[in-house]
Amino acid sequence: EEEEEDDDFLEKQNYVSKVVHLLHSDSTDELYEMYLLARKVYGQGGAKRVVHTVPSLLFSVLRLSLRIHKEAKEDSKVTVKNVFKFVHDTLGKFSNISPLLAFKLYLHSAIIASQCNWENIVYEFLTQAMGVFEEHLGSDSKVQFNCIQLIVGALSAIKILDPENRDTLTTKTAQYSSKLLKRQDQARALALVAHVFWGEAENDPKDEKKCSECLQRALNCAKESLSSNSANAIVLVEILNTYLYFFSKKNSLTTAAQASKLISMIKSQLESEPDEATQLLFKNTCDHIRLSVEQHEEDGANFSEIEL
């Protein structure tokens, strides 16, 4: 009976949360006033309901910010800054009710703010997300790892951060990675953070030294994880793939010699303690290296320096 009540409750909240998507006006000022009223009404539903209704409201409000930014009407009373204050105030109250959801919404808001070219607001949303991470999301290592993935994704998507602010946030993310409970999770997270220090796009920040340091720390953690479970050798192969990526992107501190040494280490580990999943991934990685050389792709010459 309780399950039926819960299903009925969730269905009703889904309907209520969809109402906000029906709101429309040719005037952004009028639409903003509608959203203010919607927030007031949704807020009366209590903590049990707002976790279902507030996210849809915030997504609608963030779409409004993009619309205001694009239209750039001089006679509009409501500015992009007003809209982001709405989001900031709402999430400030929401973070105590559903920390994980608030964390995700802060990151999404930061990405939208970057599309509106508001660097200071981007930084504020990101620091708020990290604040929620530190205060509310420290008890579950799996949740923490997933959150670090989301932070890396957000930092990679945001292109307008001041270099100093970007470096501060990326360094803090690396610190979060180093504090994860399991060594294999630390290794995987640090390998992800390396991508923020060396962006994929041509104009993205590229810090060879910090990227290389992240990879080395990831490798050290992966080695240490082998003492608790030999199956963690698969993490070594994952890091090898990360090395190969940065090697192909011409990071001068990621060398063929390093990749060759890691390949030799993985071979030794698999000879002493075979693992089917690790062997399959390692085989596919080696096949990729051979194929790159044989087909003379863009970086084939470099890959030929790697000893298999």
Side-chain angles (χ1 to χ4, degrees), residues 5-66:
E5 288 181 4
D6 287 342
D7 289 342
D8 184 54
F9 173 79
L10 290 175
E11 185 178 4
K12 288 179 180 178
Q13 295 314 302
N14 282 334
Y15 283 129
V16 173
S17 64
K18 290 177 181 178
V19 171
V20 73
H21 296 300
L22 299 176
L23 301 179
H24 176 73
S25 174
D26 292 334
S27 167
T28 54
D29 293 344
E30 287 183 3
L31 188 54
Y32 180 74
E33 291 298 323
M34 292 182 195
Y35 290 148
L36 284 173
L37 181 59
R39 181 174 66 175
K40 182 178 179 180
V41 174
Y42 281 168
Q44 294 171 357
K48 188 178 179 181
R49 290 177 173 81
V50 294
V51 294
H52 302 286
T53 56
V54 165
S56 62
L57 171 62
L58 290 180
F59 278 114
S60 296
V61 171
L62 289 169
R63 279 199 301 272
L64 176 63
S65 70
L66 292 173

Side-chain angles (χ1 to χ4, degrees), residues 284-297 300 303 308:
N284 290 339
T285 300
C286 292
D287 287 345
H288 167 71
I289 295 172
R290 293 188 186 95
L291 189 63
S292 295
V293 175
E294 291 171 2
Q295 292 184 346
H296 303 289
E297 293 182 353
F303 276 109
L308 295 174

Side-chain angles (χ1 to χ4, degrees), residues 164-178:
E164 185 177 345
N165 288 340
R166 185 183 182 85
D167 187 65
T168 298
L169 295 170
T170 308
T171 301
K172 188 175 282 290
T173 308
Q175 292 170 354
Y176 294 154
S177 303
S178 299

Side-chain angles (χ1 to χ4, degrees), residues 62 65-66 69 80 84 106-126 153-162 166:
L62 289 169
S65 70
L66 292 173
H69 174 70
V80 171
F84 286 129
Y106 271 126
L107 292 181
H108 183 71
S109 300
I111 293 172
I112 298 299
S114 73
Q115 295 173 11
C116 296
N117 296 320
W118 279 84
E119 195 268 344
N120 60 328
I121 294 177
V122 171
Y123 186 73
E124 172 64 18
F125 280 139
L126 289 173
L155 290 174
S156 299
I158 293 168
K159 310 296 184 183
I160 67 168
L161 276 172
D162 174 81
R166 185 183 182 85

